[in-house]
Amino acid sequence: MKNFKYSFMVLLGGVMYGTMSSFVKLSYASGYHAAEISFSQAFLSAMLLGLTLLLTTGKTSLQRLSAKELVTLMLVGGAIGLTNFLYYQSVSYISASLAIVILMQFTWFSLLLEWLIFRQRPGRPELVTVLFILVGTVMAGNLLQTDTLYFSWQGMVLALASSFTYAVYIVANSRVGKGVRWQSKSTLIMAGSALTIFIINVQPIISDNHFGYTFMLWAIFLAVVGTTIPTALFAAGIPKTGAGTSAILMAVEFPVAVLCAYLVLHEAISPVQIAGIIIMLAAISVMNYYKSSKTKKEN
């Protein structure tokens, strides 16, 4: 039951994160750009999580952390900050549905990173699950209909880069700060995210900002729904479930993003895409059941 709780936390975080591309694309209609959206989202999230930290554990919880833990958690935040910025940039060039298709490559990127860096070779069930996810990706992303696909090399490269940094975030998050309370961990991660985005976009953030009432409404909504809650869920759940399983659970972002793009942006969705979404959800469910059964046998 405990393992299910942490798996559900990762899954819920993925669902919430999956809605973001559609709403970010809507915000572009008001003249906002990826740099200010991603920075304000990360900054407000860090402030909200910091407030939660002070109210629940007090400032001494951060003082107990070593310099190494502080730096590594900030670097983990840099990875998710880059992910959000690159991903938000990509949806200004390609459709939200296609952007999430490319982002989904984090599933095999994360398994590959664990294999190359930590020598943890993925098992047959994980490889089979990834295969089904890739098949579902092709179908749900409508990649077979290349004649109607809105294609941009710049958007594709940005989305692929975001999938790699997302994989780095998942692997690092599963191994860094395991003994750190989720309040401290998520606060430092979002502080590192905001700092990274600001450093690489300092000029447009300062000179081209559109800060005002409407912008703040967008920023607060994106910060709470798309960053604060998912970051807290990931900080608590990923270390307990592991990078491989978390990467598979977080694949739920894809069908959620496609459905959200259909409902919010009115992007077309075909029966083939629906079939692809079902295949992906089935693969995620089977893998989660396999992992839960394996854990019960070991215990």
Side-chain angles (χ1 to χ4, degrees), residues 92-105:
S92 63
Y93 295 97
I94 56 180
S95 68
S97 298
L98 180 55
I100 194 65
V101 168
I102 307 305
L103 181 69
M104 276 304 305
Q105 307 316 305

Side-chain angles (χ1 to χ4, degrees), residues 66-87:
S66 65
K68 181 179 179 181
E69 287 176 320
L70 289 170
V71 172
T72 52
L73 287 173
M74 293 280 284
L75 290 175
V76 172
I80 193 62
L82 283 173
T83 299
N84 288 335
F85 171 66
L86 293 169
Y87 183 51

Side-chain angles (χ1 to χ4, degrees), residues 87-154:
Y87 183 51
Y88 291 173
Q89 277 276 69
S90 71
V91 297
S92 63
Y93 295 97
I94 56 180
S95 68
S97 298
L98 180 55
I100 194 65
V101 168
I102 307 305
L103 181 69
M104 276 304 305
Q105 307 316 305
F106 78 82
T107 52
W108 59 266
F109 267 138
S110 59
L111 292 175
L112 182 62
L113 285 173
E114 286 225 310
W115 186 8
L116 294 176
I117 299 174
F118 303 108
R119 305 301 180 191
Q120 291 189 358
R121 187 171 184 174
R124 184 177 296 177
E126 289 171 313
L127 293 175
V128 171
T129 301
V130 170
L131 177 62
F132 275 102
I133 287 174
L134 290 175
V135 171
T137 294
V138 173
M139 296 172 63
N142 211 25
L143 295 181
L144 297 177
Q145 302 295 322
T146 54
D147 55 324
T148 60
L149 190 63
Y150 178 46
F151 185 85
S152 164
W153 274 113
Q154 189 169 358

